[in-house]
Amino acid sequence: MGVSEQSVRTLGLSNIKTVTKAYVSLTKPRIMLFLIFTAYCAMFIAQRGVPNLQTMIVGLGGLALSAGGAAAINMWYDRDIDRIMQRTAKRPIPMGIVTPWHALVLGIGLGILSVVMLALWCNWLCATFSLMGYLYYAVVYTMWLKRKTPQNIVIGGGAGAFPPLVGWSAVTGHQGFAAWIMFAVIFLWTPAHFWSLALYKNDDYVRAGIPMMPIVCGSKTTKRQMVIYTFLLLLSSWLLVGSLRAQVLYIIMATAAGLLFLRSTLILMNNKEDQMTLAKRTFLVSLMYLPAVFAAAVVCALI
């Protein structure tokens, strides 16, 4: 039986959509949006108002290219363990939709394009911090820390903390105290966020041979450290108050979010019966914490 021209056309369009979706997923768009959001918040706080539209487009666009490029490098380098882990087995390279070489070229190309874009149409400081974040994630974390030390997430947390520095410098051309506090907040947020994921995805990391904290030091030590980092996170979030107008309101909102996150880690630490459910719950709380605090900071900077 012959295949109709319409069927061939439909199959062709379907294949194009599949490949396009695969290349987009190489850039980890959900993580990219999260990073863009933190930079966007930093822009508003730095400006004490709505930043210039062109600056926002160029600054956030350049950051998106940098984040997407670093993510593609991460997937290229981790393609061997991604095939083993259930959580990552359906990524484009393990599925055979994108070749490793193409992912590498995409990652390097986006990184170069980001630097050029930010340097030409924003400023060199912004381009420098964007490049530092790119190299931190693609090289320092992915190629060095991830497979060598249980502190991979702690030290590697700096990779996701660069966007506020990019956003702040895009608007002002320099750095400020508040930008570094936002960096610290993301840095201290990262361990509890990723270790909660590692606790309920522990089997995946064991199969891949990744020395995550729960594997190397055990769940008890991991949970205790999660509580410590979350407490430090709460304290660090208060330091942002000096850069805001509605200071009392911010303290209330940041404290409420911090205590909710801290409560979740304490319950996880003290309950040995239902680790899977509580780890998932803590992970979800961590996902809500950072947007809540940064959005609160923006509101309290503007009113």
Side-chain angles (χ1 to χ4, degrees), residues 221-233:
T221 298
T222 302
K223 294 173 186 178
R224 186 165 55 244
Q225 292 198 32
M226 286 172 65
V227 171
I228 293 171
Y229 276 107
T230 307
F231 179 69
L232 293 175
L233 171 64

Side-chain angles (χ1 to χ4, degrees), residues 7-145:
S7 297
V8 171
R9 187 180 299 113
T10 301
L11 288 170
L13 289 173
S14 177
N15 186 57
I16 291 172
K17 288 180 180 178
T18 300
V19 173
T20 301
K21 184 178 179 180
Y23 274 95
V24 171
S25 69
L26 280 175
T27 64
K28 300 185 179 180
R30 285 184 294 181
I31 294 177
M32 181 194 297
L33 289 173
F34 189 77
L35 299 177
I36 289 173
F37 171 77
T38 61
Y40 188 59
C41 291
M43 287 180 168
F44 272 84
I45 296 172
Q47 187 69 39
R48 292 292 185 96
V50 181
N52 175 270
L53 181 60
Q54 180 179 334
T55 301
M56 281 199 297
I57 292 173
V58 174
L60 298 179
L63 175 62
L65 293 173
S66 178
I73 296 293
N74 173 268
M75 288 203 192
W76 164 77
Y77 190 81
D78 280 350
R79 62 191 184 277
D80 57 334
I81 59 175
D82 281 351
R83 291 188 178 94
I84 299 171
M85 298 175 67
Q86 185 178 1
R87 185 173 65 89
T88 57
K90 292 186 178 181
R91 284 178 173 176
I93 299 178
M95 291 289 288
I97 303 173
V98 177
T99 65
W101 170 247
H102 286 174
L104 178 61
V105 171
L106 176 68
I108 294 173
L110 290 177
I112 294 172
L113 188 58
S114 168
V115 173
V116 172
M117 180 177 177
L118 292 174
L120 290 180
W121 293 300
C122 206
N123 59 68
W124 271 105
L125 184 62
C126 179
T128 299
F129 278 112
S130 180
L131 177 60
M132 288 171 66
Y134 173 93
L135 293 175
Y136 203 125
Y137 184 70
V139 179
V140 176
Y141 170 71
T142 299
M143 300 181 187
W144 176 39
L145 295 171

Side-chain angles (χ1 to χ4, degrees), residues 68-296:
I73 296 293
N74 173 268
M75 288 203 192
W76 164 77
Y77 190 81
D78 280 350
R79 62 191 184 277
D80 57 334
I81 59 175
D82 281 351
R83 291 188 178 94
I84 299 171
M85 298 175 67
Q86 185 178 1
R87 185 173 65 89
T88 57
K90 292 186 178 181
R91 284 178 173 176
I93 299 178
M95 291 289 288
I97 303 173
V98 177
T99 65
W101 170 247
H102 286 174
L104 178 61
V105 171
L106 176 68
I108 294 173
L110 290 177
I112 294 172
L113 188 58
S114 168
V115 173
V116 172
M117 180 177 177
L118 292 174
L120 290 180
W121 293 300
C122 206
N123 59 68
W124 271 105
L125 184 62
C126 179
T128 299
F129 278 112
S130 180
L131 177 60
M132 288 171 66
Y134 173 93
L135 293 175
Y136 203 125
Y137 184 70
V139 179
V140 176
Y141 170 71
T142 299
M143 300 181 187
W144 176 39
L145 295 171
K146 185 173 182 178
R147 307 190 192 204
K148 293 191 181 333
T149 171
Q151 295 296 324
N152 49 15
I153 291 302
V154 177
I155 306 171
F162 275 94
L165 303 179
V166 176
W168 193 283
S169 57
V171 169
T172 66
H174 58 78
Q175 280 306 330
F177 178 74
W180 287 107
I181 294 302
M182 296 176 80
F183 178 99
V185 166
I186 298 173
F187 184 86
L188 293 169
W189 165 84
T190 303
H193 169 68
F194 275 102
W195 284 338
S196 59
L197 174 66
L199 283 168
Y200 75 86
K201 292 290 185 181
N202 191 59
D203 292 344
D204 255 0
Y205 290 108
V206 170
R207 280 194 298 270
I210 304 299
M212 295 297 287
M213 184 67 72
I215 298 172
V216 177
C217 301
S219 61
K220 183 177 180 180
T221 298
T222 302
K223 294 173 186 178
R224 186 165 55 244
Q225 292 198 32
M226 286 172 65
V227 171
I228 293 171
Y229 276 107
T230 307
F231 179 69
L232 293 175
L233 171 64
L234 172 60
L235 297 182
S236 70
S237 69
W238 291 342
L239 297 177
L240 198 56
V241 70
S243 303
L244 309 176
R245 292 193 177 105
Q247 296 181 351
V248 175
L249 177 61
Y250 172 75
I251 286 291
I252 293 171
M253 297 172 74
T255 301
L259 289 177
L260 180 63
F261 192 8
L262 183 60
R263 177 178 178 272
S264 184
T265 59
L266 284 168
I267 292 173
L268 176 62
M269 182 181 70
N270 293 322
N271 191 316
K272 301 177 182 179
E273 301 299 323
D274 198 11
Q275 176 174 293
M276 185 75 71
T277 300
L278 292 174
K280 286 182 179 180
R281 186 182 301 169
T282 302
F283 180 73
L284 292 174
V285 171
S286 74
L287 287 175
M288 294 184 290
Y289 171 82
L290 211 56
V293 170
F294 275 35

